[in-house]
Amino acid sequence: MTGGDQRFDALVVADSRFAGGSTSALVDDVRAMDAIGMKLGLLFVRSAYLDDSRDAVNPKVEALCDLPSVTRLGPGASASAPLAFLHHPQVFFQGIEETARMQAEKAVIVAHQPPFREDGSLEYDPIATSRRARKALGLNDNPWFAPVSGVVRSQLASFAPLVRLTSQDWPNIFDGSDWVPTSPIFEGPAITIGRHGRADLQKFPTTGAEIDASLPAGPDIRVRVLGCPTDELAAKGAHPDRWEVLPFGSEPAVAFL
């Protein structure tokens, strides 16, 4: 549905083309709010952070519009709510194509990513991120930041008092009933190590030696990786050829793990 000037229990703004953990967190957040009967306004935006030639719309995100309490908002929509959740700081730091007129008593940017890279360089500027989100969405005030972890919180805290943090973290949630173990743990002489995530070089340690040490394949250790930038890791001197590598998304994470 398309919403006009409406009042909701919460507003959610996200780029529907994301894949990986941040999208899974968004989907589970919205489903959890829907399950308790919250009336939600959902606005999909397009950010310069994602490359159109590489990133298609994520069907799991699109399916949120079919939930009974969700109203899909169009560009330029006017809507209000006590809370607004803006997912992923990079989306707003790089800029979004859409504008809206959103009134929220408190808006929070769900910070799925720390502002600094591992080498200390800046991934995004939280101060600019907050101001750009406010301007594009017509918010009354700069959004707060809701870190998904203590690591993200500690980095964002270095920008105080120019950015404000929620008093508690906003960790990713999931339905534990979907994660029932189906195979014995530590059965037999060999150990299997599994890792899953987008095939992004930043998801791995810096050096080849550190990468190999984090996933130490050997005679009694089997390593299975779901999603891996194989060529880039090899260029760093790592040995992903020792692992069993599957393309990201080639099987559900629950089944893989």
Side-chain angles (χ1 to χ4, degrees):
M1 294 185 293
T2 300
D5 191 358
Q6 300 184 56
R7 177 77 177 175
F8 297 93
D9 295 318
L11 301 168
V12 180
V13 183
D15 193 319
S16 61
R17 298 170 293 163
F18 262 107
S22 58
T23 291
S24 297
L26 162 68
V27 169
D28 286 338
D29 280 359
V30 172
R31 288 189 176 278
M33 288 187 279
D34 170 75
I36 61 174
M38 292 180 66
K39 184 180 178 183
L40 305 172
L42 178 58
L43 175 64
F44 290 144
V45 296
R46 298 175 68 85
S47 170
Y49 178 54
L50 296 179
D51 181 354
D52 290 348
S53 66
R54 179 172 57 88
D55 297 288
V57 171
N58 190 312
K60 292 182 180 179
V61 180
E62 283 284 312
L64 295 175
C65 298
D66 297 329
L67 296 174
S69 64
V70 172
T71 296
R72 181 168 182 169
L73 303 173
S78 179
S80 61
L83 289 168
F85 297 98
L86 319 180
H87 277 266
H88 209 296
Q90 281 280 28
V91 167
F92 303 96
F93 176 60
Q94 299 293 344
I96 59 176
E97 296 177 7
E98 296 77 6
T99 59
R101 298 181 301 279
M102 291 189 166
Q103 303 296 317
E105 296 170 24
K106 178 174 284 188
V108 295
I109 295 174
V110 182
H112 299 278
Q113 181 179 12
F116 295 105
R117 303 183 185 94
E118 189 173 341
D119 62 6
S121 59
L122 194 64
E123 184 74 27
Y124 64 89
D125 178 352
I127 301 169
T129 299
S130 181
R131 291 173 178 170
R132 289 169 187 170
R134 175 185 179 182
K135 181 179 180 180
L137 299 174
L139 299 167
N140 291 330
D141 203 356
N142 288 337
W144 294 59
F145 280 82
V148 299
S149 70
V151 172
V152 178
R153 174 176 292 276
S154 65
Q155 291 194 15
L156 286 170
S158 65
F159 292 88
L162 299 178
V163 300
R164 298 175 295 180
L165 305 183
T166 56
S167 60
Q168 297 185 37
D169 293 343
W170 189 265
N172 297 345
I173 63 171
F174 58 89
D175 186 352
S177 63
D178 293 335
W179 296 77
V180 179
T182 57
S183 59
I185 298 174
F186 296 123
E187 182 183 70
I191 295 174
T192 299
I193 300 175
R195 182 202 179 279
H196 78 100
R198 288 186 293 109
D200 187 336
L201 188 60
Q202 294 186 35
K203 302 280 187 183
F204 291 82
T206 303
T207 68
E210 290 171 332
I211 295 166
D212 285 344
S214 70
L215 295 169
D220 296 324
I221 302 178
R222 177 191 183 201
V223 175
R224 301 185 73 235
V225 182
L226 180 64
C228 180
T230 306
D231 293 341
E232 293 165 281
L233 296 184
K236 284 180 168 285
H239 296 83
D241 54 298
R242 299 173 182 170
W243 311 333
E244 179 184 343
V245 176
L246 303 174
F248 178 71
S250 61
E251 62 180 75
V254 172
F256 171 79
L257 295 178

